[in-house]
Amino acid sequence: MPSTNDTSSTWTRENTVKRLEIIAIACAALAGVTAPATVSAQEAVVAAPNIEALFTDRNRTLHRNKQVVYHIMRDLLEAGHWDEAHRYLTERYIQHNPNVPSGRQGVVDFFKRLGAQPKPVPAKLLTPVVQVIAEGDYVMVATVSTLPHPGKPGTTFTTTWLDLFRMKDGKADEHWDSAPIFVMPGK
């Protein structure tokens, strides 16, 4: 029979996943809602004033997990240092983005095909981050996404992009986002 602590940790893990799923579904639903033509107001999505603080936590494990995701965003995605991917991604890195293959090498190859070239790592993350939520083995990052307005040529609107990472042994082991399928350049 499991001890009270075992049952509690299982319950917490299952509920953590459920809560993160609910948050992701709610945010994706809100981001995907098309307002009727008669509605003209939208509150702009804005970045947090102190993005660096969002990637810190008093809990040691959550802090480590947030820092790994921070470096994935800054060092890999922004600065193109994919030769450092082994520091932040597991070898089996499971990818749920329909455009990117699973496996660390598959992700590295994908970004290199897109033309990612190493450049100086910025002192701070440049991506406009709205919020970072970490619980258990999961880190979710909400960022500002500015897109062309389909009904108003030459204008843009803001919405929220979500990335969810599952961490394992101090590295990202699995990733989800809401990316649609797109055609790779040159194909």
Side-chain angles (χ1 to χ4, degrees), residues 56 76 93 101 154-155 159 186:
T56 65
L76 302 183
Y93 188 67
T155 64
T159 189

Side-chain angles (χ1 to χ4, degrees), residues 33-142:
V33 171
T34 304
T38 59
V39 176
S40 61
Q42 176 212 0
E43 296 297 323
V45 179
V46 295
N50 185 353
I51 291 169
E52 308 297 311
L54 297 176
F55 289 91
T56 65
D57 203 285
R58 291 180 190 184
N59 177 288
R60 188 173 162 186
T61 301
L62 297 181
H63 181 78
R64 178 189 70 186
N65 290 346
K66 285 182 172 186
Q67 285 294 296
V68 169
V69 171
Y70 178 85
H71 287 284
I72 290 169
M73 294 179 69
R74 189 189 70 174
D75 302 5
L76 302 183
L77 294 169
E78 287 185 358
H81 287 260
W82 289 99
D83 57 323
E84 296 292 319
H86 67 279
R87 296 177 65 190
Y88 310 115
L89 308 177
T90 64
E91 187 175 342
R92 79 173 197 141
Y93 188 67
I94 300 168
Q95 181 57 262
H96 297 284
N97 180 311
N99 303 293
V100 185
S102 287
R104 181 173 57 222
Q105 192 58 53
V107 173
V108 169
D109 293 344
F110 171 81
F111 281 101
K112 286 184 176 180
R113 278 194 312 276
L114 285 179
Q117 295 292 322
K119 56 186 175 188
V121 176
K124 292 184 176 189
L125 186 65
L126 303 174
T127 302
V129 177
V130 176
Q131 187 56 266
V132 178
I133 301 169
E135 191 167 338
D137 295 333
Y138 293 87
V139 177
M140 181 181 290
V141 180

Side-chain angles (χ1 to χ4, degrees), residues 1-13:
M1 175 176 223
S3 71
T4 304
N5 289 343
D6 292 340
T7 304
S8 175
S9 68
T10 301
W11 182 85
T12 302
R13 220 172 316 149

